[in-house]
Amino acid sequence: MTTPHRHIVVFGGTFDPIHHGHLRSAIELKELLGADELRLMPSHRPPLRGEPGASSQQRLTMVQAAVEGEPGLRVDDRELGRDAASYTVESLRDLRAELGEAVTLTMVVGSDAYARLQHWQQWSSLLDYAHLLVLERADYPLEAAPEVAMAMNARRVSHVADLASEPAGKFASVRLRQLPISATDIRERVACGRSIRYLLPDVVAAHIARWGLYQTK
C-alpha cells in the first residue's frame, strides 16, 4: 500500500486585519484537502496592492492571536523578514527546500489574485514547487489572462482530493461557503466609528483598539 504524502497547505494574504472569513476558509480548506497542516502566511510588502494599514508586526501579532489553540493551523512569518516586496515564488522555493521533495505542498489564492497572476513574479514557476488551488469568490469569477489559463488548464485536476497524490505541479479550483466579510469593510467601519464585533475574533478587535489602527487620519 502506498504511504500518503504529508500535505501542507499555504494560505497567504495581507490579513489587514484577519477576520472570521479568513479563519473559516482556512479550516474548511484544511478539512477538504485532508491536510496535515495549514499555514497562514502574512505578506510583508505586497507588490500589487497598496501599503497595509497595519504594520507587518501588528498584522503578524493579530494572526498569531487569531489562530492560537486551533489544531492544525499555524502561522508562517517568513515573508515578514524580507526588506523588499514579498514574492510567492520565493516563499514556495524556500518551503520546498525545507520540506523536501516528497511532501505535498498546496498554495491557496483567491480568484481575485488569480485574475492578476500574469503580473506575479515568475508565475509560471509556481507549479514547480507546489500545487495551486484557487478559492473562487462570489464577487470575482474564475478568470485569468489567456497565457495563465492555458498553462493552468493543462495541469487541472477534476477533484481537489487528487492534489494529495503528488507533491506539486497541479491546478484546481474550489468554491466554499464563504462568510461575506471583508478586511476593507472592517477598516472602513473602524474609520467611521462603527462596531466590528462578530466580524473577527475579539482578541483581534482588542489589538485594533489598543493600537488605534484604521482610524481616520
PDB file of all heavy atoms in Angstrom, residues 101-127:
ATOM      1  N   GLU A 101      11.346  16.849  -1.150  1.00  0.00           N
ATOM      2  CA  GLU A 101      10.631  16.634  -2.400  1.00  0.00           C
ATOM      3  C   GLU A 101       9.357  15.800  -2.248  1.00  0.00           C
ATOM      4  O   GLU A 101       8.478  15.841  -3.105  1.00  0.00           O
ATOM      5  CB  GLU A 101      11.559  15.948  -3.411  1.00  0.00           C
ATOM      6  CG  GLU A 101      12.764  16.801  -3.806  1.00  0.00           C
ATOM      7  CD  GLU A 101      12.356  18.114  -4.439  1.00  0.00           C
ATOM      8  OE1 GLU A 101      11.412  18.114  -5.250  1.00  0.00           O
ATOM      9  OE2 GLU A 101      12.979  19.142  -4.108  1.00  0.00           O
ATOM     10  N   ALA A 102       9.217  15.044  -1.159  1.00  0.00           N
ATOM     11  CA  ALA A 102       8.094  14.114  -1.051  1.00  0.00           C
ATOM     12  C   ALA A 102       6.821  14.736  -0.479  1.00  0.00           C
ATOM     13  O   ALA A 102       5.724  14.242  -0.713  1.00  0.00           O
ATOM     14  CB  ALA A 102       8.495  12.919  -0.184  1.00  0.00           C
ATOM     15  N   VAL A 103       6.949  15.824   0.268  1.00  0.00           N
ATOM     16  CA  VAL A 103       5.789  16.446   0.912  1.00  0.00           C
ATOM     17  C   VAL A 103       4.907  17.137  -0.124  1.00  0.00           C
ATOM     18  O   VAL A 103       5.397  17.828  -1.017  1.00  0.00           O
ATOM     19  CB  VAL A 103       6.246  17.458   1.986  1.00  0.00           C
ATOM     20  CG1 VAL A 103       5.066  18.270   2.517  1.00  0.00           C
ATOM     21  CG2 VAL A 103       6.942  16.732   3.129  1.00  0.00           C
ATOM     22  N   THR A 104       3.603  16.951  -0.016  1.00  0.00           N
ATOM     23  CA  THR A 104       2.667  17.655  -0.884  1.00  0.00           C
ATOM     24  C   THR A 104       2.492  19.071  -0.362  1.00  0.00           C
ATOM     25  O   THR A 104       2.211  19.277   0.825  1.00  0.00           O
ATOM     26  CB  THR A 104       1.298  16.946  -0.909  1.00  0.00           C
ATOM     27  OG1 THR A 104       1.466  15.651  -1.485  1.00  0.00           O
ATOM     28  CG2 THR A 104       0.290  17.730  -1.738  1.00  0.00           C
ATOM     29  N   LEU A 105       2.659  20.046  -1.248  1.00  0.00           N
ATOM     30  CA  LEU A 105       2.570  21.455  -0.885  1.00  0.00           C
ATOM     31  C   LEU A 105       1.541  22.123  -1.789  1.00  0.00           C
ATOM     32  O   LEU A 105       1.643  22.046  -3.017  1.00  0.00           O
ATOM     33  CB  LEU A 105       3.930  22.134  -1.043  1.00  0.00           C
ATOM     34  CG  LEU A 105       4.045  23.601  -0.659  1.00  0.00           C
ATOM     35  CD1 LEU A 105       3.699  23.817   0.812  1.00  0.00           C
ATOM     36  CD2 LEU A 105       5.458  24.117  -0.956  1.00  0.00           C
ATOM     37  N   THR A 106       0.536  22.751  -1.191  1.00  0.00           N
ATOM     38  CA  THR A 106      -0.517  23.416  -1.951  1.00  0.00           C
ATOM     39  C   THR A 106      -0.607  24.873  -1.550  1.00  0.00           C
ATOM     40  O   THR A 106      -0.716  25.186  -0.359  1.00  0.00           O
ATOM     41  CB  THR A 106      -1.883  22.738  -1.715  1.00  0.00           C
ATOM     42  OG1 THR A 106      -1.829  21.383  -2.156  1.00  0.00           O
ATOM     43  CG2 THR A 106      -2.993  23.465  -2.474  1.00  0.00           C
ATOM     44  N   MET A 107      -0.551  25.758  -2.544  1.00  0.00           N
ATOM     45  CA  MET A 107      -0.694  27.192  -2.313  1.00  0.00           C
ATOM     46  C   MET A 107      -2.106  27.612  -2.677  1.00  0.00           C
ATOM     47  O   MET A 107      -2.596  27.309  -3.772  1.00  0.00           O
ATOM     48  CB  MET A 107       0.312  27.960  -3.181  1.00  0.00           C
ATOM     49  CG  MET A 107       0.242  29.461  -3.029  1.00  0.00           C
ATOM     50  SD  MET A 107       0.927  30.004  -1.443  1.00  0.00           S
ATOM     51  CE  MET A 107       0.265  31.664  -1.339  1.00  0.00           C
ATOM     52  N   VAL A 108      -2.775  28.313  -1.768  1.00  0.00           N
ATOM     53  CA  VAL A 108      -4.144  28.775  -1.989  1.00  0.00           C
ATOM     54  C   VAL A 108      -4.138  30.264  -2.287  1.00  0.00           C
ATOM     55  O   VAL A 108      -3.509  31.056  -1.558  1.00  0.00           O
ATOM     56  CB  VAL A 108      -5.021  28.504  -0.748  1.00  0.00           C
ATOM     57  CG1 VAL A 108      -6.429  29.044  -0.968  1.00  0.00           C
ATOM     58  CG2 VAL A 108      -5.060  27.018  -0.431  1.00  0.00           C
ATOM     59  N   VAL A 109      -4.829  30.652  -3.357  1.00  0.00           N
ATOM     60  CA  VAL A 109      -5.010  32.072  -3.675  1.00  0.00           C
ATOM     61  C   VAL A 109      -6.482  32.302  -3.991  1.00  0.00           C
ATOM     62  O   VAL A 109      -7.191  31.389  -4.402  1.00  0.00           O
ATOM     63  CB  VAL A 109      -4.143  32.538  -4.865  1.00  0.00           C
ATOM     64  CG1 VAL A 109      -2.670  32.299  -4.582  1.00  0.00           C
ATOM     65  CG2 VAL A 109      -4.559  31.844  -6.159  1.00  0.00           C
ATOM     66  N   GLY A 110      -6.949  33.516  -3.806  1.00  0.00           N
ATOM     67  CA  GLY A 110      -8.315  33.857  -4.165  1.00  0.00           C
ATOM     68  C   GLY A 110      -8.451  34.096  -5.649  1.00  0.00           C
ATOM     69  O   GLY A 110      -7.458  34.350  -6.355  1.00  0.00           O
ATOM     70  N   SER A 111      -9.677  34.024  -6.158  1.00  0.00           N
ATOM     71  CA  SER A 111      -9.889  34.248  -7.594  1.00  0.00           C
ATOM     72  C   SER A 111      -9.559  35.678  -7.998  1.00  0.00           C
ATOM     73  O   SER A 111      -9.256  35.940  -9.163  1.00  0.00           O
ATOM     74  CB  SER A 111     -11.321  33.890  -7.992  1.00  0.00           C
ATOM     75  OG  SER A 111     -12.271  34.540  -7.167  1.00  0.00           O
ATOM     76  N   ASP A 112      -9.580  36.624  -7.052  1.00  0.00           N
ATOM     77  CA  ASP A 112      -9.167  37.994  -7.363  1.00  0.00           C
ATOM     78  C   ASP A 112      -7.676  38.050  -7.656  1.00  0.00           C
ATOM     79  O   ASP A 112      -7.231  38.726  -8.594  1.00  0.00           O
ATOM     80  CB  ASP A 112      -9.536  38.946  -6.227  1.00  0.00           C
ATOM     81  CG  ASP A 112      -8.994  38.493  -4.874  1.00  0.00           C
ATOM     82  OD1 ASP A 112      -8.793  37.288  -4.663  1.00  0.00           O
ATOM     83  OD2 ASP A 112      -8.781  39.363  -4.008  1.00  0.00           O
ATOM     84  N   ALA A 113      -6.881  37.323  -6.853  1.00  0.00           N
ATOM     85  CA  ALA A 113      -5.441  37.267  -7.101  1.00  0.00           C
ATOM     86  C   ALA A 113      -5.134  36.477  -8.368  1.00  0.00           C
ATOM     87  O   ALA A 113      -4.234  36.832  -9.141  1.00  0.00           O
ATOM     88  CB  ALA A 113      -4.727  36.639  -5.908  1.00  0.00           C
ATOM     89  N   TYR A 114      -5.875  35.406  -8.598  1.00  0.00           N
ATOM     90  CA  TYR A 114      -5.666  34.581  -9.794  1.00  0.00           C
ATOM     91  C   TYR A 114      -5.883  35.395 -11.067  1.00  0.00           C
ATOM     92  O   TYR A 114      -5.174  35.195 -12.066  1.00  0.00           O
ATOM     93  CB  TYR A 114      -6.611  33.392  -9.760  1.00  0.00           C
ATOM     94  CG  TYR A 114      -6.500  32.459 -10.936  1.00  0.00           C
ATOM     95  CD1 TYR A 114      -5.321  31.763 -11.189  1.00  0.00           C
ATOM     96  CD2 TYR A 114      -7.581  32.258 -11.798  1.00  0.00           C
ATOM     97  CE1 TYR A 114      -5.209  30.898 -12.269  1.00  0.00           C
ATOM     98  CE2 TYR A 114      -7.488  31.396 -12.873  1.00  0.00           C
ATOM     99  CZ  TYR A 114      -6.298  30.720 -13.109  1.00  0.00           C
ATOM    100  OH  TYR A 114      -6.199  29.871 -14.184  1.00  0.00           O
ATOM    101  N   ALA A 115      -6.802  36.328 -11.043  1.00  0.00           N
ATOM    102  CA  ALA A 115      -7.076  37.161 -12.220  1.00  0.00           C
ATOM    103  C   ALA A 115      -5.883  38.046 -12.581  1.00  0.00           C
ATOM    104  O   ALA A 115      -5.781  38.510 -13.721  1.00  0.00           O
ATOM    105  CB  ALA A 115      -8.309  38.026 -11.972  1.00  0.00           C
ATOM    106  N   ARG A 116      -4.969  38.251 -11.627  1.00  0.00           N
ATOM    107  CA  ARG A 116      -3.784  39.087 -11.866  1.00  0.00           C
ATOM    108  C   ARG A 116      -2.499  38.261 -11.862  1.00  0.00           C
ATOM    109  O   ARG A 116      -1.403  38.814 -11.760  1.00  0.00           O
ATOM    110  CB  ARG A 116      -3.679  40.183 -10.805  1.00  0.00           C
ATOM    111  CG  ARG A 116      -4.891  41.069 -10.677  1.00  0.00           C
ATOM    112  CD  ARG A 116      -4.600  42.281  -9.781  1.00  0.00           C
ATOM    113  NE  ARG A 116      -4.171  41.876  -8.449  1.00  0.00           N
ATOM    114  CZ  ARG A 116      -4.986  41.637  -7.427  1.00  0.00           C
ATOM    115  NH1 ARG A 116      -6.290  41.744  -7.593  1.00  0.00           N
ATOM    116  NH2 ARG A 116      -4.515  41.291  -6.244  1.00  0.00           N
ATOM    117  N   LEU A 117      -2.630  36.953 -11.982  1.00  0.00           N
ATOM    118  CA  LEU A 117      -1.471  36.082 -11.819  1.00  0.00           C
ATOM    119  C   LEU A 117      -0.370  36.372 -12.842  1.00  0.00           C
ATOM    120  O   LEU A 117       0.815  36.178 -12.566  1.00  0.00           O
ATOM    121  CB  LEU A 117      -1.894  34.612 -11.918  1.00  0.00           C
ATOM    122  CG  LEU A 117      -0.897  33.594 -11.344  1.00  0.00           C
ATOM    123  CD1 LEU A 117      -0.793  33.725  -9.832  1.00  0.00           C
ATOM    124  CD2 LEU A 117      -1.300  32.168 -11.716  1.00  0.00           C
ATOM    125  N   GLN A 118      -0.738  36.853 -14.024  1.00  0.00           N
ATOM    126  CA  GLN A 118       0.281  37.125 -15.044  1.00  0.00           C
ATOM    127  C   GLN A 118       1.265  38.211 -14.614  1.00  0.00           C
ATOM    128  O   GLN A 118       2.351  38.335 -15.178  1.00  0.00           O
ATOM    129  CB  GLN A 118      -0.378  37.518 -16.377  1.00  0.00           C
ATOM    130  CG  GLN A 118      -0.988  38.912 -16.423  1.00  0.00           C
ATOM    131  CD  GLN A 118      -2.410  38.956 -15.894  1.00  0.00           C
ATOM    132  OE1 GLN A 118      -2.849  38.046 -15.214  1.00  0.00           O
ATOM    133  NE2 GLN A 118      -3.124  40.008 -16.236  1.00  0.00           N
ATOM    134  N   HIS A 119       0.895  38.993 -13.593  1.00  0.00           N
ATOM    135  CA  HIS A 119       1.772  40.053 -13.091  1.00  0.00           C
ATOM    136  C   HIS A 119       2.659  39.580 -11.946  1.00  0.00           C
ATOM    137  O   HIS A 119       3.513  40.345 -11.489  1.00  0.00           O
ATOM    138  CB  HIS A 119       0.936  41.252 -12.629  1.00  0.00           C
ATOM    139  CG  HIS A 119       0.077  41.857 -13.699  1.00  0.00           C
ATOM    140  ND1 HIS A 119       0.596  42.392 -14.855  1.00  0.00           N
ATOM    141  CD2 HIS A 119      -1.274  41.997 -13.784  1.00  0.00           C
ATOM    142  CE1 HIS A 119      -0.389  42.847 -15.618  1.00  0.00           C
ATOM    143  NE2 HIS A 119      -1.533  42.613 -14.996  1.00  0.00           N
ATOM    144  N   TRP A 120       2.460  38.363 -11.487  1.00  0.00           N
ATOM    145  CA  TRP A 120       3.264  37.856 -10.375  1.00  0.00           C
ATOM    146  C   TRP A 120       4.679  37.531 -10.841  1.00  0.00           C
ATOM    147  O   TRP A 120       4.903  37.144 -12.000  1.00  0.00           O
ATOM    148  CB  TRP A 120       2.643  36.583  -9.806  1.00  0.00           C
ATOM    149  CG  TRP A 120       1.409  36.803  -8.985  1.00  0.00           C
ATOM    150  CD1 TRP A 120       0.485  37.780  -9.132  1.00  0.00           C
ATOM    151  CD2 TRP A 120       0.964  35.983  -7.900  1.00  0.00           C
ATOM    152  NE1 TRP A 120      -0.511  37.623  -8.204  1.00  0.00           N
ATOM    153  CE2 TRP A 120      -0.253  36.534  -7.442  1.00  0.00           C
ATOM    154  CE3 TRP A 120       1.463  34.844  -7.285  1.00  0.00           C
ATOM    155  CZ2 TRP A 120      -0.962  35.981  -6.379  1.00  0.00           C
ATOM    156  CZ3 TRP A 120       0.753  34.284  -6.234  1.00  0.00           C
ATOM    157  CH2 TRP A 120      -0.448  34.859  -5.778  1.00  0.00           C
ATOM    158  N   GLN A 121       5.609  37.676  -9.940  1.00  0.00           N
ATOM    159  CA  GLN A 121       6.998  37.324 -10.213  1.00  0.00           C
ATOM    160  C   GLN A 121       7.109  35.835 -10.538  1.00  0.00           C
ATOM    161  O   GLN A 121       6.690  34.995  -9.732  1.00  0.00           O
ATOM    162  CB  GLN A 121       7.854  37.660  -8.986  1.00  0.00           C
ATOM    163  CG  GLN A 121       9.346  37.422  -9.166  1.00  0.00           C
ATOM    164  CD  GLN A 121      10.034  38.624  -9.779  1.00  0.00           C
ATOM    165  OE1 GLN A 121       9.383  39.523 -10.297  1.00  0.00           O
ATOM    166  NE2 GLN A 121      11.346  38.647  -9.713  1.00  0.00           N
ATOM    167  N   GLN A 122       7.620  35.512 -11.722  1.00  0.00           N
ATOM    168  CA  GLN A 122       7.850  34.122 -12.137  1.00  0.00           C
ATOM    169  C   GLN A 122       6.618  33.240 -11.910  1.00  0.00           C
ATOM    170  O   GLN A 122       6.713  32.119 -11.394  1.00  0.00           O
ATOM    171  CB  GLN A 122       9.044  33.532 -11.378  1.00  0.00           C
ATOM    172  CG  GLN A 122      10.353  34.270 -11.601  1.00  0.00           C
ATOM    173  CD  GLN A 122      11.484  33.703 -10.769  1.00  0.00           C
ATOM    174  OE1 GLN A 122      11.612  32.494 -10.590  1.00  0.00           O
ATOM    175  NE2 GLN A 122      12.323  34.571 -10.227  1.00  0.00           N
ATOM    176  N   TRP A 123       5.458  33.731 -12.332  1.00  0.00           N
ATOM    177  CA  TRP A 123       4.219  32.992 -12.070  1.00  0.00           C
ATOM    178  C   TRP A 123       4.247  31.591 -12.679  1.00  0.00           C
ATOM    179  O   TRP A 123       3.687  30.645 -12.106  1.00  0.00           O
ATOM    180  CB  TRP A 123       3.006  33.764 -12.599  1.00  0.00           C
ATOM    181  CG  TRP A 123       2.943  33.864 -14.108  1.00  0.00           C
ATOM    182  CD1 TRP A 123       3.408  34.874 -14.879  1.00  0.00           C
ATOM    183  CD2 TRP A 123       2.380  32.897 -15.007  1.00  0.00           C
ATOM    184  NE1 TRP A 123       3.184  34.614 -16.217  1.00  0.00           N
ATOM    185  CE2 TRP A 123       2.553  33.401 -16.311  1.00  0.00           C
ATOM    186  CE3 TRP A 123       1.754  31.667 -14.844  1.00  0.00           C
ATOM    187  CZ2 TRP A 123       2.118  32.711 -17.453  1.00  0.00           C
ATOM    188  CZ3 TRP A 123       1.325  30.976 -15.967  1.00  0.00           C
ATOM    189  CH2 TRP A 123       1.505  31.504 -17.250  1.00  0.00           C
ATOM    190  N   SER A 124       4.908  31.439 -13.814  1.00  0.00           N
ATOM    191  CA  SER A 124       4.926  30.130 -14.472  1.00  0.00           C
ATOM    192  C   SER A 124       5.762  29.105 -13.719  1.00  0.00           C
ATOM    193  O   SER A 124       5.702  27.911 -14.022  1.00  0.00           O
ATOM    194  CB  SER A 124       5.459  30.274 -15.906  1.00  0.00           C
ATOM    195  OG  SER A 124       6.784  30.782 -15.913  1.00  0.00           O
ATOM    196  N   SER A 125       6.535  29.553 -12.717  1.00  0.00           N
ATOM    197  CA  SER A 125       7.357  28.625 -11.932  1.00  0.00           C
ATOM    198  C   SER A 125       6.673  28.158 -10.652  1.00  0.00           C
ATOM    199  O   SER A 125       7.211  27.304  -9.945  1.00  0.00           O
ATOM    200  CB  SER A 125       8.692  29.293 -11.561  1.00  0.00           C
ATOM    201  OG  SER A 125       9.448  29.600 -12.718  1.00  0.00           O
ATOM    202  N   LEU A 126       5.493  28.701 -10.337  1.00  0.00           N
ATOM    203  CA  LEU A 126       4.828  28.344  -9.084  1.00  0.00           C
ATOM    204  C   LEU A 126       4.597  26.838  -8.966  1.00  0.00           C
ATOM    205  O   LEU A 126       4.806  26.243  -7.908  1.00  0.00           O
ATOM    206  CB  LEU A 126       3.481  29.075  -8.977  1.00  0.00           C
ATOM    207  CG  LEU A 126       3.534  30.601  -8.868  1.00  0.00           C
ATOM    208  CD1 LEU A 126       2.116  31.173  -8.933  1.00  0.00           C
ATOM    209  CD2 LEU A 126       4.223  31.025  -7.575  1.00  0.00           C
ATOM    210  N   LEU A 127       4.172  26.221 -10.080  1.00  0.00           N
ATOM    211  CA  LEU A 127       3.854  24.795 -10.039  1.00  0.00           C
ATOM    212  C   LEU A 127       5.089  23.905  -9.979  1.00  0.00           C
ATOM    213  O   LEU A 127       4.972  22.693  -9.797  1.00  0.00           O
ATOM    214  CB  LEU A 127       2.992  24.408 -11.236  1.00  0.00           C
ATOM    215  CG  LEU A 127       1.616  25.070 -11.326  1.00  0.00           C
ATOM    216  CD1 LEU A 127       0.811  24.480 -12.471  1.00  0.00           C
ATOM    217  CD2 LEU A 127       0.852  24.937 -10.018  1.00  0.00           C
TER     218      LEU A 127
END
